[in-house]
Amino acid sequence: MRSLKVRFALLLGSTALLVALAAAGVLWSIAAAESTIDRTLAAQRRLELLAELSGRLTQFGLAAIDTVGNPDGQPEALSIARTNVDRALTAVDEALAATILSTDDPLDRTQYAARTRPMSQIRAARVILDRQVSQIERQTEPENRQNAIKGALNGFGAMTGQPLSFLIEAERRTMVLGSEQARELSQRLRLASGLAVLLALGIVIVLYRSVTRPTLARIEAVRKAAGAVGRGELDTRLSVATRDELGLLVANFNRMAARLSRREGRLAADRAALEDTVEARTADLRAANERLEAVDRSRRRFFADVSHELRTPLTVILGECDLASRSTGRSVDFGPVFATIRKRAQRLKLRVEDLLRVARSESGQIELERRAISAVSVLAEAVENAGSDAARRRVALTLDPGDRDVEILADREWLRQVVESLIDNALRHAAGASRVSVALRAAGPPETATITITDDGPGFGEGESDLFERFRRGVRPGETGFGIGLALARWVIEHHDGSIRLGRGEDGRGARVTLTLPVLDLASGYNEGRDTRESAA
C-alpha cells in the first residue's frame, strides 16, 4: 500500500465493520432475549388464566351445591358462576390462539394446538354439570338431591381435574424451559462477547502495528526535524522511505531546509554588509550631530553675548535721554528729539530683553517664583500697562473678568509679561483691528482658568501654524519683531503646567490666543505666601 489514503480507508473500514458486527450481535441478542422473555411471559399469563379458571370452576361447583341444597336461595348465583366460568374459558382459549398465531415453529404450533382438547373436556364438564343440576332441582326428596349433587360434583371433578392439571403442568414446563433458555442465551452471549472483544483487540493490534505505528513514527520524525530546523540546524535532512503522501512531505521538507540554508547564507552576507553600512552612516550622523551641537552652542553664545553687550549701553542711553529731557535753560528744544530717541531705545531694549530671556530659557537660567495670585489682578495690570499704546493706535482694549475671580499658582511678573506680549502682538500685527479683548473664564472639573486675547483683525494665515517656533515670523510683509514672543510665551505657560493655542474669533474673523492654566486647589494644603521655585531645566 503506497498511499496513506488506502491505509486510513482500511483502518476506517475495519473499524466500521467491527462496529457493524457489534451492532448486529447486540440486535440479535436483544431479539433472542425478547423472544425468550415473551414466551415466558405468555406462559405465565396463561398459567394465571388457568389458575383463575380453576377458581371459577370451584365457585361454579359451590354455587351448584347451594342451588340444590337451598331451593329457596338466590337462583342467580349459579348463573353468575356459570358466566364467570365461560369467561375464564374464553380467556384461556384466546391466549392459546394468540400463542399459536405468534409462533413460527411447527412443533410449538402442534403442542399448543394439543392443549385445546383438554379445554374442550373442561367446557363439556361444565355443560354436563349444568344439566345435572337442572335435573336434580326437579327431585323432591332432599336426601336424593344431596346424593345426586354429590355424584354430579364427583363426576365434574373427575372430568375437569385431569385436563386442568395437564394444562397447568404444561404451562409450568414452558416457564421452566423459558428460564433455561434465558440462562443458555446469557451464557452464549457472554461467550460471544468475550470472543468479539478478543477478535476486536486482535484486529486493532494488527492495524496499529501495520498502519498506525509506522505512520506516527514517521510523523514524529518530521516533527523532530522541524524542531531542529527551528533551532537553526539547517543541515537537517530526512530519508525518503516511501512514495506516499508522507514521502512527498519529507521530500518537500528536505527541499525547504535546503532553501532555508541557502537563504541563511545570503542573509548572513547581507547582514554583514548592512552592519558595515549602518556603522558608516552612524559615524556620519555622529559627525553631523557634533557639528549641529557646535552650531547650536555658537548660536546660544551669540544671543547671550549680544544681549549682554547691548543691554548696558542702552540703559546708559536711556538714562542720558532722561537727564537731557529734564534739563532746563537750553536755547533749543530737544524734547521731541529725545522723545524719539527714547522711544526707539525703549523698543530696542524690549527686543534685547526678549533675546536675553530666550537665551536664559535655553540655558536653564530662568527660575519661576510661583505663588497664589489673582488671575483678574494680573490681567487688569497687563491691560492697564498696554492701555496707552492701544489708545495711541486707536484700538479699544477691554477686559472681561468673567463671572468670578480664580486663584492660580504662578509667577506674577512672568505671567503679566506673557499677557502684555500677546496684547502687544495683537496691537502690532492685527492690521486694521479696532478692538482687542482680554477675557477670563473658569471651567471644570478639573477646574481650569482660560485666558483669551482676541482681536478683530485679519487673523492668522494658513502658513502661520508654526509661529510657536523660535525666530519664526508671520508671512505678512512689514511685520516687526524677532519672532520670539510666542515661543517665549509657550515656554512660560508650559512651565506653569498649562497650554497655549492659536485660533480664530467666534465669528471666524480675527485672531485668538487661548491660555489654559490649572486653578489653585486650596484643599490641597497649599500655604498662601509660601514661595515655590521651579527650575526651567
Side-chain angles (χ1 to χ4, degrees), residues 237-383:
R237 299 292 185 274
L238 294 173
S239 60
V240 183
T242 59
R243 300 182 64 181
D244 55 9
E245 288 83 354
L246 276 179
L248 296 177
L249 176 63
V250 169
N252 291 331
F253 177 84
N254 291 335
R255 286 194 293 270
M256 178 195 69
R259 288 196 296 269
L260 286 177
S261 180
R262 292 192 296 270
R263 290 183 181 179
E264 182 68 18
R266 291 195 297 269
L267 182 60
D270 295 340
R271 187 185 300 113
L274 180 60
E275 289 177 354
D276 294 339
T277 303
V278 169
E279 185 176 358
R281 296 295 181 269
T282 302
D284 295 340
L285 288 175
R286 191 179 294 111
N289 235 2
E290 292 175 355
R291 290 193 298 270
L292 289 176
E293 289 178 358
V295 171
D296 191 57
R297 286 194 299 269
S298 299
R299 181 179 61 85
R300 288 200 297 268
R301 186 166 54 250
F302 167 76
F303 280 122
D305 293 344
V306 168
S307 299
H308 179 72
E309 293 298 331
L310 293 180
R311 186 180 185 186
T312 300
L314 287 173
T315 303
V316 174
I317 291 172
L318 291 173
E320 292 297 330
C321 288
D322 289 338
L323 290 175
S325 63
R326 290 195 297 269
S327 299
T328 59
R330 294 180 179 270
S331 58
V332 180
D333 184 10
F334 291 102
V337 177
F338 288 134
T340 301
I341 294 174
R342 177 175 175 77
K343 178 181 177 181
R344 300 301 180 183
Q346 186 67 32
R347 178 170 294 181
L348 183 58
K349 182 183 178 182
L350 291 176
R351 298 296 176 263
V352 173
E353 289 289 349
D354 290 341
L355 292 174
L356 183 58
R357 291 191 189 97
V358 173
R360 287 180 176 177
S361 65
E362 290 186 346
S363 61
Q365 296 177 3
I366 293 180
E367 293 183 353
L368 304 177
E369 297 182 1
R370 300 176 65 181
R371 63 183 65 187
I373 61 174
S374 168
V376 173
S377 63
V378 174
L379 298 181
E381 185 178 354
V383 170

Side-chain angles (χ1 to χ4, degrees), residues 103 122 301 330 422 476:
T103 181
I122 294 173
R301 186 166 54 250
R330 294 180 179 270
L422 295 175
R476 297 185 184 88

Side-chain angles (χ1 to χ4, degrees), residues 159-186:
M159 292 182 66
T160 59
Q162 184 177 1
L164 191 61
S165 299
F166 171 76
L167 292 174
I168 292 175
E169 181 64 20
E171 298 301 337
R172 190 186 65 78
R173 287 197 303 271
T174 301
M175 292 183 61
V176 172
L177 180 61
S179 300
E180 292 177 353
Q181 290 178 349
R183 284 193 294 271
E184 292 177 359
L185 178 62
S186 176

Side-chain angles (χ1 to χ4, degrees), residues 117-168:
R117 185 177 301 173
M119 291 298 298
S120 300
Q121 294 177 1
I122 294 173
R123 185 176 284 104
R126 199 275 304 166
V127 173
I128 293 173
L129 179 62
D130 195 25
R131 291 177 181 176
Q132 290 177 349
V133 169
S134 298
Q135 294 174 1
I136 293 171
E137 286 180 344
R138 288 193 291 269
Q139 296 182 9
T140 59
E141 294 294 332
E143 184 177 356
N144 294 332
R145 290 163 64 96
Q146 293 291 333
N147 293 330
I149 193 63
K150 288 181 181 179
L153 287 177
N154 290 332
F156 178 74
M159 292 182 66
T160 59
Q162 184 177 1
L164 191 61
S165 299
F166 171 76
L167 292 174
I168 292 175

